[in-house]
Amino acid sequence: MAVIHNTALKPTKLELLTSWLPSRPWYFGGAGEPELAKAGGFRLDDPQGEVGIEFMVVTDTSGTHPTSYLVPLTYRGAPLDGAEHALVGTMEHGVLGRRWAYDGCHDPVLVAQLLALIEGRVQAQDQNISDTPDREVTRSYIGDGLDLTDFTATAIDDQEGTKLPAPHGTGLRLHRVLRPAPNNASLLPPEMIGHVAGSWQLPDGTRARGLFVVLYTGARA
């Protein structure tokens, strides 16, 4: 299990994201600098214990209406070869030293563990407490087993989010802009074969719940 260190980061994750988020095609904040607050998320464990994996939810209040974003991140002790384009920034960790933070959709460790979560082979972990499952994160899978070799960390960003395609029309879609699901509504669209959903805090202190990731097949995306 990953150990959560209670220590300082310089710069902080929110400071890194303040500079990085406006460069994303799915970000639609105002012309000024984002005003970010941590709103939720969860972690996954790297089986090798080398890479930190976090699915962070941040809320930007700089625009007319607050907007919550899903930001999967990986934290590494050395640069990831070939992923310079996915680097969010570097931080100094009070215990682990220099850490390279990446857009996790481009990191094969995160992609493999996300698929394992969808299949039910691993559990989502609490974002802030070591060795504690996050019971608010739900998942489903109605397929016959995922071939991990079909999936690569070749992420495609568009105005709706991030897509990780695989052969034969299968792929993952990450909902970067989070939208609360209506009361009692099914979280899984009928054309999808798997999902991850979770909760986050709204600026007024209430909790929202919605889709984070869907696994699709055929021509759906």
Side-chain angles (χ1 to χ4, degrees), residues 114-115 118 151 162-164 171-174 213-216:
L114 175 57
L115 291 167
I118 291 173
F151 286 84
T162 303
K163 182 167 63 173
L164 285 83
L172 291 167
R173 163 70 74 174
L174 283 84
V213 183
V214 294
L215 175 66
Y216 62 86

Side-chain angles (χ1 to χ4, degrees), residues 112-166:
Q113 292 309 108
L114 175 57
L115 291 167
L117 174 63
I118 291 173
E119 280 197 302
R121 293 183 284 111
V122 302
Q123 277 189 308
Q125 299 295 308
D126 190 275
Q127 191 177 26
N128 302 307
I129 306 172
S130 300
D131 302 337
T132 304
D134 188 331
R135 305 297 183 186
E136 287 193 312
V137 176
T138 59
R139 42 69 53 192
S140 70
Y141 179 57
I142 57 174
D144 296 324
L146 296 173
D147 185 352
L148 296 182
T149 62
D150 285 345
F151 286 84
T152 62
T154 305
I156 301 171
D157 284 326
D158 57 31
Q159 292 184 336
E160 298 299 321
T162 303
K163 182 167 63 173
L164 285 83

Side-chain angles (χ1 to χ4, degrees), residues 10-72:
K10 295 181 180 180
T12 67
K13 298 172 188 178
L14 291 181
E15 287 170 340
L16 285 183
L17 293 178
T18 296
S19 300
W20 180 79
L21 270 181
S23 69
R24 302 300 93 194
W26 36 263
Y27 176 77
F28 57 88
E33 187 175 86
E35 298 175 10
L36 301 180
K38 183 178 175 181
F42 64 95
R43 287 179 176 265
L44 294 174
D45 287 330
D46 171 18
Q48 304 302 317
E50 296 292 332
V51 179
I53 304 172
E54 181 176 17
F55 287 74
M56 181 182 290
V57 178
V58 296
T59 297
D60 178 19
T61 58
S62 64
T64 305
H65 302 287
T67 304
S68 296
Y69 296 93
L70 177 66
V71 186

Side-chain angles (χ1 to χ4, degrees), residues 170-187:
T170 302
L172 291 167
R173 163 70 74 174
L174 283 84
H175 291 207
R176 297 294 205 146
V177 180
L178 298 178
R179 295 180 174 86
N183 289 337
N184 301 317
S186 172
L187 286 175

